[in-house]
Amino acid sequence: MLVWILFLLCQVGAPALAQDLCQRDAPNGYKVRISLKTALGEDAYEWNQSEMFFFQATMAFAMRRHFQMETYNVDNIILCVQTSRVSFWFVVTSPDNTTMLIPKADVEKAVRMSRHRINNAFLLSDRTLEFLGIYPTLAAPVNPDTPPWLIVFGVVIGAVCAGIIALLVSSLLQKRRKEKGMTEDGQDEEDMQVKGVENGINLDGTYNRGFTDDDRFTKL
Amino acid sequence: MPEEGMEDSKGGEERPKWNNKAEYLLTCIGFAVGVGNVWRFPYLCQIYGGGAFLIPYLIALVFQGLPLLYLELAIGQRLRMGSIGVWNSISPYLGGVGVASMLVSFCVSLFYNTIVAWVLWYLFNSFQEPLPWSQCPLNHNNTGYVEECVESTPVNYFWYRQTLNITPNMETSGSLQWWMVVSLATAWSIVYICFVRGIETIGKAVYVTATFPYLVLTIFLVRALTLPGAYEGLIYLFTPDWEILKNPQVWLDAATQIFFSLSVAFGGLISFSSYNSQKNNCEKDAVLVGVINSATSIYASIPIFAILGFKAHTNYVTCLNGNILALTNEFDISDMNITVENYEQWFDSLNGTHPSRVSDLKLKTCDLQTFLDQSASGTGLAFIVFTEAVISMPGSQVWAVLFFIMLFSLGLSSMFGNLEGILTPLHDLKLVPKWMPNELFTAIICLLLFLMALIFCLGSGNYWLEIFNSYVGSVPFLIIAFFEIIAVAYIYGIGRFSDDLEFMTGHRPNIFWKVCWLVISPLMLFVVLVAYVAVQAQTPPTYAAWNPDYVNFPNTEVLPYPDWVFAICVLLSSVPVISIPLVAIYRLICCMSGRHSKDSLHNNPNPYANEDYVVELLL
């Protein structure tokens, strides 16, 4: 009988004790804030007791992962002050002694270690599953070996240089062809002059009309 | 009437010719339509009462812009020389106008291509995911973001620190920024490749550079009109505020905007039209170029303002969301119960029940009108405001690349005219040695300009560019244009000019053109010049410096110009135009002493100028 009364007292007292351990602004507790609709929009699931249980299980897993020797259980994670935000407070008790709380620093280390796993368990991110007081580590910037802009610059400058060289070479070849044409046949020279240069390349040298082939006009 | 054979008497050198009319028109349009049409006109429209600004703008176009444009194209086509040769031919005493044109084109080429280099730098950086100006970089020990970036914005940080690496003031020059030098080298190489064979290659290049901006503007128009907030932006832009027309500053800015937008007085338009055949209807060309330039400005302002409206809307929603999050977290309200639509009701009810808690949150006041009022022009519009808008658009890289390629085309086609205003006069002055091929000469000029423009790649380069932009790119042009119109209308004579126009176009100019050239345009130019100088003299010479150690950072610190810098500003404004009186005095001295000068001027005799007769008169 006595044992039975003691057992009843424990059942009543334990939650009451747990209530004392977990409260708003508890020195060893953390506030968690979850924004389901922001993260998932239409696919947001409902936050109910099962989800709370899942959270307890995830936190127990995180504690186990960090402190590899100790076996944490769902009962070691105590939740309280739940609001419709969704936000709540939680504290972690030691598996050996349920009245002793794990210090804040250790809980933080455990959370940091498994943050990625905890986020993924709930399909959330660092921004939508917040542990107030535990700042997410900033993502390391992607630093490629060659800055991408240098690659684009290389392509552009290569094309431009190739174009300049091609144009200069073709100008040179054209000039040489013209000089060869001038020395070989005076007729060609006059035809070119008469047609006029439409494309803008200045002819070097002076055109002397006195040396045109006058025979052209007398062959009627 | 001089015969057409006259131009062949220049020792047999054929003047280069345009392949077809389209190339010539596209080159002129490309020269006139520049980055100012995209980033200066919409800003002016916004601050000067939206649709009401179009009235002074169009009046200035009709009475000042078109006559000047027609005049330049006509004299270039008739006299078939660059700016120096043309003004020497009209009157030897006014040869200084051509020299001034060339000097001003030289200075403008320096800083304009630097802007093109900045556009290229942003273009190269647009091929990354995520865009480098969308987030702050981490500091040295990866504990947080760089402080300068956090205090201002990532976009500002990318522009001032990672692009310019700007110094806190003008006295500190800083060092050469190698990435800027590289971009500048690319810009000058691309300009050179288009100039390699003179107008042959320019004519090909303008098929792309002059038409591509219109394609991009249309794409942006379609995209921008589907964005939220675009409608508010357009209403804000075009709502006319008729009261603003009473402010003389509006008329002054409209006249100066039209003037600088058409790129007259650079000498480039004279050079381009000198490659035409003489029997070309330059009246139609002038009207076409002028109208297309203004139409482009108006057309460009529509997508720009739609996108600015979108940006204002995005900033407004972000501001509201910040407040909503603060309220939701403080009062533990269910997630997403407070939305942008019902924010007001929630705020009122919460403020009524818990005013102290609400005021402790220090919520920001979010007003869409305030965000719309944040206007910007010039490099601020392109590199800060627009890049910020592009981040919020889906597919940011595509829009960024399109935008910067458009700015690059606009800048490149304007550079053609700037450089042509330097090269053609030098060719006509026969300063090029006979043995040097044109390609080499162009390369030397481009290299010289590149080396001189390296000062804009220093840490304080942006401050110097602003100085060049304000002092070289303003008053000298007004003075040159004024002398141009006086020279043609009064010294050359409106009768002789009408005869030339009849020879070229087939009909004499009608009364409108004559009245403009004789009275209206010179008067308007004179008034604008005097008013501009008066306004400039009243504003103290200061500049806005980006100083991270400033008390009110991220606001820019307003500093006065040091004395030596101000002296340079005055020099920049006066040295180009000092050649006008200098050349006049020199010629006067030559003539008074009675010497027959054997300079190149008299190798191309103007049939109307008979020196013997003139000397007799003076005696």
Side-chain angles (χ1 to χ4, degrees), chain A:
Chain A
M1 177 77 174
L2 217 65
V3 174
W4 195 70
I5 294 173
L6 253 149
F7 176 71
L8 268 176
L9 274 172
C10 278
Q11 288 285 32
V12 170
L17 198 63
Q19 206 58 27
D20 289 335
L21 288 172
C22 174
Q23 46 186 317
R24 182 190 289 275
D25 298 325
N28 279 320
Y30 277 105
K31 182 171 180 183
V32 176
R33 195 150 60 200
I34 295 179
S35 315
L36 282 171
K37 290 214 191 95
T38 312
L40 301 165
E42 293 285 314
D43 301 326
Y45 47 81
E46 194 203 326
W47 190 262
N48 49 25
Q49 286 301 108
S50 314
E51 303 291 339
M52 296 289 272
F53 177 78
F54 189 22
F55 183 80
Q56 286 174 304
T58 316
M59 280 309 301
F61 158 75
M63 298 300 292
R64 278 199 194 200
R65 198 161 169 240
H66 181 65
F67 298 101
Q68 272 151 2
M69 284 297 115
E70 303 172 32
T71 50
Y72 286 86
N73 265 317
V74 184
D75 301 325
N76 295 121
I77 316 292
I78 308 172
L79 309 172
C80 57
V81 197
Q82 195 182 349
T83 67
S84 58
R85 168 63 183 79
V86 171
S87 71
F88 48 86
W89 284 81
F90 77 93
V91 292
V92 183
T93 59
S94 163
D96 305 319
N97 181 0
T98 47
T99 52
M100 204 180 74
L101 290 179
I102 304 291
K104 211 164 172 172
D106 293 332
V107 176
E108 179 176 341
K109 283 190 209 142
V111 166
R112 271 194 200 280
M113 190 176 165
S114 307
R115 188 65 191 263
H116 187 63
R117 301 288 298 270
I118 302 173
N119 285 350
N120 279 349
F122 291 96
L123 308 174
L124 298 171
S125 70
D126 279 346
R127 206 173 51 91
T128 40
L129 170 57
E130 296 168 80
F131 288 84
L132 295 190
I134 305 179
Y135 296 111
T137 46
L138 300 162
V142 179
N143 262 337
D145 290 328
T146 30
W149 74 267
L150 215 49
I151 300 174
V152 182
F153 159 72
V155 168
V156 168
I157 202 81
V160 168
C161 285
I164 291 178
I165 293 176
L167 280 172
L168 286 177
V169 164
S170 77
S171 294
L172 215 63
L173 286 176
Q174 236 174 23
K175 271 200 197 127
R176 229 172 259 165
R177 222 178 291 138
K178 220 170 282 173
E179 280 167 26
K180 230 194 266 175
M182 281 211 256
T183 52
E184 272 172 12
D185 198 350
Q187 183 79 15
D188 286 342
E189 174 202 356
E190 194 207 284
D191 279 347
M192 269 198 292
Q193 295 284 21
V194 167
K195 275 187 223 142
V197 180
E198 291 291 317
N199 286 349
I201 304 208
N202 282 335
L203 293 174
D204 293 333
T206 314
Y207 176 54
N208 191 333
R209 285 211 175 97
F211 285 95
T212 53
D213 196 358
D214 283 334
D215 291 341
R216 203 159 61 90
F217 296 105
T218 58
K219 282 182 187 146
L220 281 169

Side-chain angles (χ1 to χ4, degrees), chain B residues 114-136:
Chain B
T114 312
I115 298 179
V116 174
W118 289 340
V119 172
L120 272 181
W121 162 256
Y122 267 80
L123 176 63
F124 293 156
N125 275 294
S126 303
F127 289 96
Q128 306 178 30
E129 165 66 26
L131 288 171
W133 55 81
S134 60
Q135 32 176 246
C136 282

